[in-house]
Amino acid sequence: MTQDSQTGERTAAEQGASPHRLIASNRVEGTAVYNRGGEKLGRIEYFMVDKTTGQADYAVMSFGGLFGLGGKHYPLPWDMLDYDPDQGGYRIDLDKAKLEQGPSFAPGEEPDFDRRYDQRVYDYYGVVYTW
Amino acid sequence: MTQDSQTGERTAAEQGASPHRLIASNRVEGTAVYNRGGEKLGRIEYFMVDKTTGQADYAVMSFGGLFGLGGKHYPLPWDMLDYDPDQGGYRIDLDKAKLEQGPSFAPGEEPDFDRRYDQRVYDYYGVVYTW
């Protein structure tokens, strides 16, 4: 998880002390995602979970389009996301230009998420692929 | 994960070879849960995820009531669940009598899921509590 200079230690301390370490899967869905400048990038539509281990690997964020129409889905390595209790959303260190060129798919046209695809997404964002 | 004598090696081999290692969070929600005798126990309503690590800790299963009414929600340690591609659902080694006496709550009255609660649920099912 990355550090954030805006909220700093307080956020980290809150998270450590909070009884609300957990969040319901259906509340993650629909949660807003902001970049480090506080700009809203999109929202999490759903996330991809390893069936066996229960580990979330991707957050799938909708981005682009107008008024929710014509947007695409962007798989983001889960580790790129920081939960920010102050904003009630996730933050990510990513600018729009980088995101726009990133792996994406049309809603309803989900890729296979096989290992080759995983590798491509993780490489694109420079996140270490550990499995 | 437990072994299953019914589906045996084929299931394990399929899981290992499958490109569909991942499942979308909103597809886990609504998935049926069977016990080892093949009896349907209930369905997963949602699951509880660690906000920071992305690790699923509980599956919250609805059980009881008639025609979906009056049932309660039962948090189950995620590690108790095995995904069975043949049934397209999760299997759990648990009989109804044990489940009925287990920790539960009314829909919409979610507990805090603090560490004391975690401990209680994990102890009840005899699952090692590792965090």
Side-chain angles (χ1 to χ4, degrees):
Chain A
M1 293 282 141
T2 56
Q3 279 280 352
D4 181 23
S5 56
Q6 285 192 311
T7 53
E9 289 174 5
R10 194 165 65 81
T11 298
E14 278 177 358
Q15 286 197 329
S18 172
H20 301 293
R21 182 177 58 86
L22 303 179
I23 188 169
S25 55
N26 55 5
R27 286 192 53 206
V28 175
E29 297 154 8
T31 299
V33 180
Y34 302 89
N35 66 15
R36 289 171 75 93
E39 187 181 20
K40 184 175 170 181
L41 288 178
R43 62 174 216 152
I44 296 179
E45 294 292 322
Y46 56 91
F47 52 103
M48 300 299 296
V49 184
D50 188 302
K51 289 171 189 167
T52 304
T53 65
Q55 177 65 46
D57 280 344
Y58 292 111
V60 176
M61 184 179 78
S62 56
F63 167 69
L66 283 172
F67 311 112
L69 297 172
K72 290 199 288 182
H73 284 180
Y74 293 74
L76 302 170
W78 181 274
D79 283 353
M80 291 177 69
L81 298 167
D82 278 322
Y83 188 77
D84 183 346
D86 292 336
Q87 275 188 309
Y90 288 91
R91 271 180 305 101
I92 188 168
D93 187 10
L94 181 65
D95 61 48
K96 281 190 178 178
K98 175 83 176 172
L99 178 63
E100 279 166 349
Q101 301 300 318
S104 67
F105 51 91
E109 296 183 3
E110 199 171 287
D112 270 349
F113 289 107
D114 58 13
R115 283 169 193 256
R116 182 182 298 186
Y117 190 85
D118 292 347
Q119 186 73 63
R120 189 177 135 220
V121 175
Y122 276 68
D123 282 352
Y124 182 78
Y125 291 112
V127 175
V128 178
Y129 180 85
T130 52
W131 59 90
Chain B
M1 294 283 143
T2 55
Q3 280 280 352
D4 181 24
S5 57
Q6 287 191 309
T7 52
E9 288 174 5
R10 194 164 65 82
T11 297
E14 278 176 358
Q15 286 197 330
S18 172
H20 301 292
R21 182 177 58 87
L22 304 178
I23 188 169
S25 55
N26 55 5
R27 286 191 54 205
V28 175
E29 298 155 8
T31 299
V33 180
Y34 303 89
N35 67 15
R36 289 172 76 93
E39 186 181 22
K40 183 175 171 181
L41 288 177
R43 62 172 216 155
I44 296 179
E45 295 291 323
Y46 56 90
F47 53 103
M48 300 300 296
V49 184
D50 187 301
K51 287 172 190 167
T52 304
T53 65
Q55 177 64 48
D57 280 343
Y58 292 111
V60 176
M61 185 180 78
S62 56
F63 167 70
L66 283 172
F67 311 112
L69 297 172
K72 289 200 288 183
H73 284 180
Y74 292 76
L76 302 170
W78 181 274
D79 283 352
M80 291 177 70
L81 299 167
D82 277 321
Y83 189 76
D84 182 344
D86 292 336
Q87 275 188 308
Y90 288 91
R91 271 179 306 101
I92 188 166
D93 186 10
L94 181 64
D95 61 48
K96 281 190 177 177
K98 175 82 176 174
L99 178 63
E100 279 166 350
Q101 301 299 318
S104 67
F105 50 90
E109 296 182 2
E110 198 171 288
D112 271 348
F113 289 109
D114 57 13
R115 282 170 193 258
R116 183 182 298 186
Y117 190 84
D118 292 347
Q119 187 75 63
R120 189 177 135 220
V121 175
Y122 276 66
D123 282 352
Y124 182 78
Y125 290 111
V127 175
V128 177
Y129 181 85
T130 52
W131 58 88

Short mmCIF file of all heavy atoms in Angstrom, two decimals, chain A residues 38-70:
data_model
loop_
_atom_site.label_atom_id
_atom_site.label_comp_id
_atom_site.label_asym_id
_atom_site.label_seq_id
_atom_site.Cartn_x
_atom_site.Cartn_y
_atom_site.Cartn_z
N GLY A 38 -7.16 14.05 -5.77
CA GLY A 38 -8.53 14.15 -5.30
C GLY A 38 -9.56 14.14 -6.43
O GLY A 38 -10.76 14.29 -6.21
N GLU A 39 -9.08 13.96 -7.65
CA GLU A 39 -9.97 13.93 -8.81
C GLU A 39 -10.64 12.55 -8.90
O GLU A 39 -9.96 11.53 -8.77
CB GLU A 39 -9.12 14.17 -10.06
CG GLU A 39 -9.88 14.33 -11.35
CD GLU A 39 -8.93 14.55 -12.55
OE1 GLU A 39 -7.73 14.21 -12.44
OE2 GLU A 39 -9.41 15.05 -13.56
N LYS A 40 -11.92 12.54 -9.13
CA LYS A 40 -12.62 11.26 -9.25
C LYS A 40 -12.33 10.63 -10.61
O LYS A 40 -12.53 11.25 -11.65
CB LYS A 40 -14.12 11.44 -9.07
CG LYS A 40 -14.87 10.12 -9.09
CD LYS A 40 -16.35 10.26 -8.79
CE LYS A 40 -17.06 8.95 -9.06
NZ LYS A 40 -18.51 9.05 -8.82
N LEU A 41 -11.84 9.40 -10.57
CA LEU A 41 -11.53 8.69 -11.81
C LEU A 41 -12.70 7.84 -12.28
O LEU A 41 -12.96 7.74 -13.47
CB LEU A 41 -10.31 7.77 -11.61
CG LEU A 41 -8.94 8.44 -11.46
CD1 LEU A 41 -7.89 7.38 -11.22
CD2 LEU A 41 -8.61 9.25 -12.70
N GLY A 42 -13.36 7.21 -11.38
CA GLY A 42 -14.43 6.30 -11.76
C GLY A 42 -14.97 5.61 -10.53
O GLY A 42 -14.82 6.13 -9.41
N ARG A 43 -15.59 4.47 -10.73
CA ARG A 43 -16.08 3.72 -9.58
C ARG A 43 -15.85 2.24 -9.80
O ARG A 43 -15.80 1.76 -10.94
CB ARG A 43 -17.55 4.01 -9.31
CG ARG A 43 -18.45 3.62 -10.45
CD ARG A 43 -19.91 3.78 -10.08
NE ARG A 43 -20.70 2.71 -10.69
CZ ARG A 43 -21.83 2.23 -10.21
NH1 ARG A 43 -22.33 2.72 -9.10
NH2 ARG A 43 -22.46 1.25 -10.82
N ILE A 44 -15.74 1.54 -8.71
CA ILE A 44 -15.53 0.09 -8.80
C ILE A 44 -16.86 -0.57 -9.14
O ILE A 44 -17.88 -0.36 -8.47
CB ILE A 44 -14.96 -0.46 -7.48
CG1 ILE A 44 -13.58 0.16 -7.25
CG2 ILE A 44 -14.90 -1.98 -7.51
CD1 ILE A 44 -12.90 -0.28 -5.99
N GLU A 45 -16.83 -1.34 -10.22
CA GLU A 45 -18.04 -2.07 -10.63
C GLU A 45 -18.14 -3.40 -9.89
O GLU A 45 -19.19 -3.79 -9.43
CB GLU A 45 -18.01 -2.32 -12.14
CG GLU A 45 -18.10 -1.04 -12.97
CD GLU A 45 -19.46 -0.36 -12.85
OE1 GLU A 45 -20.47 -1.07 -12.80
OE2 GLU A 45 -19.50 0.89 -12.78
N TYR A 46 -17.01 -4.08 -9.84
CA TYR A 46 -16.91 -5.35 -9.12
C TYR A 46 -15.43 -5.63 -8.98
O TYR A 46 -14.60 -4.85 -9.45
CB TYR A 46 -17.64 -6.49 -9.86
CG TYR A 46 -17.20 -6.71 -11.27
CD1 TYR A 46 -16.18 -7.59 -11.57
CD2 TYR A 46 -17.80 -6.02 -12.33
CE1 TYR A 46 -15.76 -7.79 -12.87
CE2 TYR A 46 -17.38 -6.21 -13.64
CZ TYR A 46 -16.37 -7.10 -13.91
OH TYR A 46 -15.94 -7.30 -15.20
N PHE A 47 -15.09 -6.71 -8.33
CA PHE A 47 -13.68 -7.07 -8.28
C PHE A 47 -13.54 -8.56 -8.51
O PHE A 47 -14.51 -9.32 -8.37
CB PHE A 47 -13.01 -6.61 -6.98
CG PHE A 47 -13.70 -7.01 -5.70
CD1 PHE A 47 -13.19 -8.05 -4.93
CD2 PHE A 47 -14.83 -6.35 -5.24
CE1 PHE A 47 -13.80 -8.44 -3.75
CE2 PHE A 47 -15.45 -6.73 -4.06
CZ PHE A 47 -14.94 -7.78 -3.32
N MET A 48 -12.35 -8.95 -8.93
CA MET A 48 -12.11 -10.34 -9.27
C MET A 48 -11.38 -11.01 -8.10
O MET A 48 -10.37 -10.49 -7.61
CB MET A 48 -11.25 -10.45 -10.53
CG MET A 48 -11.86 -9.81 -11.77
SD MET A 48 -13.45 -10.52 -12.29
CE MET A 48 -12.97 -12.20 -12.71
N VAL A 49 -11.91 -12.14 -7.69
CA VAL A 49 -11.43 -12.83 -6.50
C VAL A 49 -10.95 -14.22 -6.88
O VAL A 49 -11.58 -14.89 -7.69
CB VAL A 49 -12.59 -12.99 -5.48
CG1 VAL A 49 -12.12 -13.61 -4.19
CG2 VAL A 49 -13.28 -11.68 -5.24
N ASP A 50 -9.86 -14.64 -6.29
CA ASP A 50 -9.42 -16.02 -6.46
C ASP A 50 -10.40 -16.94 -5.75
O ASP A 50 -10.64 -16.80 -4.55
CB ASP A 50 -8.01 -16.17 -5.87
CG ASP A 50 -7.41 -17.52 -6.18
OD1 ASP A 50 -8.01 -18.56 -5.82
OD2 ASP A 50 -6.32 -17.56 -6.77
N LYS A 51 -10.99 -17.86 -6.51
CA LYS A 51 -12.05 -18.72 -5.96
C LYS A 51 -11.58 -19.52 -4.76
O LYS A 51 -12.35 -19.82 -3.86
CB LYS A 51 -12.53 -19.72 -7.02
CG LYS A 51 -13.32 -19.11 -8.14
CD LYS A 51 -13.54 -20.18 -9.21
CE LYS A 51 -14.14 -19.58 -10.46
NZ LYS A 51 -14.08 -20.51 -11.61
N THR A 52 -10.34 -19.92 -4.80
CA THR A 52 -9.83 -20.82 -3.77
C THR A 52 -9.34 -20.07 -2.54
O THR A 52 -9.73 -20.37 -1.42
CB THR A 52 -8.69 -21.68 -4.35
OG1 THR A 52 -9.18 -22.36 -5.50
CG2 THR A 52 -8.21 -22.70 -3.33
N THR A 53 -8.52 -19.07 -2.77
CA THR A 53 -7.91 -18.39 -1.62
C THR A 53 -8.74 -17.23 -1.09
O THR A 53 -8.52 -16.77 0.03
CB THR A 53 -6.53 -17.81 -2.00
OG1 THR A 53 -6.71 -16.78 -3.00
CG2 THR A 53 -5.61 -18.88 -2.55
N GLY A 54 -9.68 -16.74 -1.91
CA GLY A 54 -10.46 -15.59 -1.47
C GLY A 54 -9.72 -14.27 -1.57
O GLY A 54 -10.15 -13.26 -1.02
N GLN A 55 -8.62 -14.27 -2.29
CA GLN A 55 -7.83 -13.04 -2.43
C GLN A 55 -8.32 -12.22 -3.62
O GLN A 55 -8.43 -12.73 -4.73
CB GLN A 55 -6.35 -13.40 -2.62
CG GLN A 55 -5.45 -12.20 -2.85
CD GLN A 55 -5.37 -11.27 -1.65
OE1 GLN A 55 -5.22 -11.72 -0.52
NE2 GLN A 55 -5.53 -9.98 -1.88
N ALA A 56 -8.63 -10.94 -3.38
CA ALA A 56 -9.02 -10.03 -4.48
C ALA A 56 -7.79 -9.69 -5.30
O ALA A 56 -6.79 -9.23 -4.75
CB ALA A 56 -9.66 -8.77 -3.92
N ASP A 57 -7.84 -9.93 -6.60
CA ASP A 57 -6.69 -9.64 -7.46
C ASP A 57 -6.87 -8.35 -8.25
O ASP A 57 -5.92 -7.61 -8.44
CB ASP A 57 -6.46 -10.80 -8.43
CG ASP A 57 -5.73 -11.95 -7.78
OD1 ASP A 57 -5.14 -11.74 -6.71
OD2 ASP A 57 -5.74 -13.05 -8.34
N TYR A 58 -8.07 -8.13 -8.73
CA TYR A 58 -8.35 -6.93 -9.51
C TYR A 58 -9.55 -6.19 -8.94
O TYR A 58 -10.54 -6.83 -8.55
CB TYR A 58 -8.76 -7.29 -10.95
CG TYR A 58 -7.68 -7.87 -11.78
CD1 TYR A 58 -7.74 -9.19 -12.18
CD2 TYR A 58 -6.63 -7.09 -12.22
CE1 TYR A 58 -6.75 -9.75 -12.97
CE2 TYR A 58 -5.64 -7.63 -13.02
CZ TYR A 58 -5.70 -8.95 -13.39
OH TYR A 58 -4.73 -9.49 -14.17
N ALA A 59 -9.48 -4.89 -8.98
CA ALA A 59 -10.68 -4.08 -8.92
C ALA A 59 -11.01 -3.71 -10.35
O ALA A 59 -10.12 -3.32 -11.11
CB ALA A 59 -10.43 -2.83 -8.10
N VAL A 60 -12.24 -3.86 -10.75
CA VAL A 60 -12.63 -3.49 -12.11
C VAL A 60 -13.39 -2.16 -12.02
O VAL A 60 -14.47 -2.08 -11.44
CB VAL A 60 -13.49 -4.58 -12.77
CG1 VAL A 60 -13.97 -4.12 -14.15
CG2 VAL A 60 -12.68 -5.87 -12.90
N MET A 61 -12.74 -1.13 -12.56
CA MET A 61 -13.27 0.23 -12.43
C MET A 61 -13.87 0.69 -13.74
O MET A 61 -13.29 0.46 -14.81
CB MET A 61 -12.13 1.18 -12.03
CG MET A 61 -12.59 2.59 -11.77
SD MET A 61 -11.22 3.69 -11.27
CE MET A 61 -10.46 4.01 -12.86
N SER A 62 -15.03 1.31 -13.68
CA SER A 62 -15.59 1.94 -14.88
C SER A 62 -15.04 3.35 -14.99
O SER A 62 -14.84 4.05 -13.98
CB SER A 62 -17.12 1.95 -14.83
OG SER A 62 -17.57 2.59 -13.64
N PHE A 63 -14.77 3.76 -16.20
CA PHE A 63 -14.13 5.06 -16.44
C PHE A 63 -14.47 5.50 -17.86
O PHE A 63 -14.56 4.68 -18.78
CB PHE A 63 -12.61 4.91 -16.28
CG PHE A 63 -11.81 6.07 -16.79
CD1 PHE A 63 -11.85 7.31 -16.15
CD2 PHE A 63 -11.01 5.92 -17.92
CE1 PHE A 63 -11.11 8.38 -16.63
CE2 PHE A 63 -10.25 7.00 -18.40
CZ PHE A 63 -10.31 8.22 -17.76
N GLY A 64 -14.66 6.78 -18.04
CA GLY A 64 -14.90 7.34 -19.38
C GLY A 64 -16.37 7.34 -19.71
O GLY A 64 -17.22 6.93 -18.91
N GLY A 65 -16.70 7.80 -20.89
CA GLY A 65 -18.09 7.92 -21.31
C GLY A 65 -18.74 9.13 -20.66
O GLY A 65 -18.13 9.84 -19.86
N LEU A 66 -19.98 9.34 -21.01
CA LEU A 66 -20.72 10.49 -20.49
C LEU A 66 -21.92 9.99 -19.68
O LEU A 66 -22.68 9.14 -20.16
CB LEU A 66 -21.24 11.37 -21.63
CG LEU A 66 -20.20 12.27 -22.30
CD1 LEU A 66 -20.79 12.93 -23.54
CD2 LEU A 66 -19.72 13.34 -21.31
N PHE A 67 -22.07 10.52 -18.50
CA PHE A 67 -23.20 10.16 -17.65
C PHE A 67 -23.34 8.65 -17.52
O PHE A 67 -24.44 8.09 -17.55
CB PHE A 67 -24.50 10.76 -18.20
CG PHE A 67 -24.38 12.21 -18.51
CD1 PHE A 67 -24.43 12.67 -19.83
CD2 PHE A 67 -24.19 13.15 -17.49
CE1 PHE A 67 -24.31 14.02 -20.12
CE2 PHE A 67 -24.06 14.50 -17.79
CZ PHE A 67 -24.12 14.94 -19.10
N GLY A 68 -22.21 7.98 -17.40
CA GLY A 68 -22.24 6.54 -17.19
C GLY A 68 -22.45 5.72 -18.45
O GLY A 68 -22.48 4.50 -18.40
N LEU A 69 -22.58 6.39 -19.60
CA LEU A 69 -22.79 5.67 -20.86
C LEU A 69 -21.49 5.65 -21.67
O LEU A 69 -20.80 6.66 -21.75
CB LEU A 69 -23.87 6.33 -21.70
CG LEU A 69 -25.27 6.35 -21.08
CD1 LEU A 69 -26.21 7.21 -21.91
CD2 LEU A 69 -25.80 4.93 -20.95
N GLY A 70 -21.23 4.51 -22.29
CA GLY A 70 -20.07 4.44 -23.18
C GLY A 70 -18.74 4.27 -22.48
O GLY A 70 -17.70 4.26 -23.13
#
